């Protein structure tokens, strides 16, 4: 967020107060004093508008011809304009984003109460622009490509633009599952520190994030999910648990991890089988020994 403060000479003290407010909030701001109408001609201040995202105009008088041109350019470029109300501001609202205030004190009160929201909206707008200029569509599938590649900067840009890490691909795969299937350990760790749904279920396979870890045989990521208190006994669309899947894979290390965390070996799937009965069927005494402590007889 970058502010331009345009003021009439009699409002220079107020402009200084506003600039000091922005400085306290670590926001870049530059002041331009209207000393003569000619300074607002093309080649003057209008050429600088492209450098800014927001503009405060402190002048109670309706703008003269060249000043009106500068206002129109600011609004046309999409700058968010905050102005002292005059006979022109009501009409100017039709040209772009403009808020006007009866007094400077009211303008300041508004900014003091809403500066975080203003900054957040500005960040969102800039992120949208960055995605657009980089040829990145605002879709879950586009985001998933960068999650798979661990392109953290672009993923963060999507978040800044308003997309959630709980977004899904068109096939219904949550971003956490996307990262797990791509086996991007660092990306998974980062996502889990954000506001991501640990137990979201993919629509394509009906798997939870933990089940995708078992499917990919990725013990490292599975340990991370277990440490985050993931739902150990979630049942997929065919009623299988992560532990059942691990037994089916014959993955003793995964079975031990899930069992030590408390996963039940007695959850029945659509075929009436459980992790325990599958281990018996496969004659895997080693897996039965691991699951024994959580087994309640069948």
């Amino acid at each position: 967020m970058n502010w331009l403060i345009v003021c009439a000479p009699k409002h220079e003290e107020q402009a200084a107060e506003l600039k000091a407010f922005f400085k306290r909030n670590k926001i870049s701001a530059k002041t331009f004093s209207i000393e003569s109408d000619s300074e607002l001609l093309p080649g003057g201040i209008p050429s600088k508008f492209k450098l800014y995202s927001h503009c405060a105009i402190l002048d109670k008088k309706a703008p003269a011809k060249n000043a009106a041109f500068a206002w129109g350019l600011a609004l046309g470029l999409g700058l968010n304009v905050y102005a002292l109300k005059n006979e022109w501001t009501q009409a100017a609202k039709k040209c772009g984003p403009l808020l006007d205030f009866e007094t400077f004190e009211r303008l300041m009160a508004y900014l003091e109460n809403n500066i975080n929201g203003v900054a957040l909206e500005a960040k969102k707008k800039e992120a949208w622009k960055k995605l657009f200029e980089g040829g990145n569509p605002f879709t879950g599938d586009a985001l998933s490509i960068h999650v798979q590649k661990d392109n953290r900067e672009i993923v963060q840009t999507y978040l800044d633009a308003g997309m959630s890490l709980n977004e899904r691909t068109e096939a219904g795969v949550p971003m956490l599952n996307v990262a797990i299937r791509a086996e991007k350990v660092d990306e998974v760790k980062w996502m889990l520190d954000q506001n991501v749904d640990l137990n979201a279920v993919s629509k394509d396979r009906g798997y939870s994030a933990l089940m995708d870890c078992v499917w990919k045989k990725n013990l490292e990521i599975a340990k991370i999910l277990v440490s985050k208190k993931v739902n150990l006994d979630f049942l997929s669309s065919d009623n299988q648990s992560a532990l059942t899947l691990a037994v089916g894979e014959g993955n003793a290390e995964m079975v031990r991890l899930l069992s030590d965390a408390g996963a039940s070996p007695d959850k029945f799937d659509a075929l009436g089988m459980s992790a325990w009965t599958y281990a018996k069927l496969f004659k895997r005494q080693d897996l039965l020994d691991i699951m024994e402590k959580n087994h309640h007889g069948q």
Side-chain angles (χ1 to χ4, degrees), residues 68-79:
F69 165 77
W71 275 58
L73 181 62
L75 293 169
L77 288 171
L79 273 69

Side-chain angles (χ1 to χ4, degrees), residues 21 32 80 95 102 128 131 153 160 166 191-192 213:
F21 165 77
F32 182 91
N80 292 276
C95 301
E102 291 285 354
W128 264 93
L131 290 173
E153 182 179 348
D160 292 342
N166 293 316
M191 292 174 77
L192 291 174
C213 287

Side-chain angles (χ1 to χ4, degrees), residues 137-208:
F138 197 69
T139 66
D141 281 347
L143 172 60
S144 72
I145 291 172
H146 297 291
V147 169
Q148 292 175 55
K149 295 179 178 179
D150 199 7
N151 290 336
R152 185 74 51 78
E153 182 179 348
I154 299 178
V155 171
Q156 184 61 58
T157 302
Y158 272 95
L159 301 187
D160 292 342
M163 190 170 282
S164 169
L165 276 179
N166 293 316
E167 186 66 44
R168 295 169 178 265
T169 66
E170 188 174 350
V173 183
M175 291 304 132
L176 180 59
N177 295 59
V178 169
I180 289 170
R181 293 179 187 185
E183 301 191 79
K184 298 296 182 181
V185 178
D186 289 340
E187 187 77 356
V188 170
K189 288 179 179 179
W190 175 76
M191 292 174 77
L192 291 174
D193 287 335
Q194 315 303 312
N195 188 25
V196 67
D197 185 355
L198 186 63
N199 296 300
V201 181
S202 65
K203 294 181 180 179
D204 61 341
R205 299 181 66 88
Y207 279 7
S208 67

Side-chain angles (χ1 to χ4, degrees), residues 2-141:
N2 200 8
W3 281 74
L4 177 65
I5 305 169
V6 180
C7 67
K10 66 178 181 179
H11 292 294
E12 288 182 357
E13 288 187 11
Q14 294 173 328
E17 182 181 342
L18 183 56
K19 188 174 183 179
F21 165 77
F22 288 135
K23 185 176 181 179
R24 289 195 300 273
N25 285 276
K26 298 180 180 180
I27 296 170
S28 175
K30 183 175 180 62
T31 302
F32 182 91
S33 178
I34 306 171
E35 296 181 356
S36 68
D37 194 39
S38 61
E39 291 185 67
L40 297 174
L41 288 168
I45 189 173
S47 65
K48 302 175 184 177
F49 277 141
K50 293 182 180 180
L51 304 175
Y52 302 93
S53 60
H54 293 69
C55 180
I57 302 179
L58 308 181
D59 191 355
K60 289 291 288 184
K61 293 182 179 180
K65 180 180 178 181
N66 290 333
F69 165 77
W71 275 58
L73 181 62
L75 293 169
L77 288 171
L79 273 69
N80 292 276
V81 176
Y82 296 73
L84 298 183
K85 184 175 290 186
N86 57 45
E87 61 192 63
W88 191 75
T89 54
Q90 189 62 36
K93 291 179 182 179
K94 299 177 183 178
C95 301
L98 183 147
L99 291 178
D100 56 354
F101 302 86
E102 291 285 354
T103 64
F104 173 76
E105 288 71 27
R106 290 188 179 182
L107 186 156
M108 282 297 300
Y110 176 86
L111 290 175
E112 288 169 352
N113 291 328
N114 296 281
I115 193 61
N116 290 336
V118 171
L120 185 62
E121 190 60 31
K123 187 176 183 180
K124 182 177 180 179
K125 184 177 179 180
E126 183 60 31
W128 264 93
K129 179 181 177 182
K130 187 175 180 180
L131 290 173
F132 177 77
E133 291 177 347
N136 293 296
F138 197 69
T139 66
D141 281 347

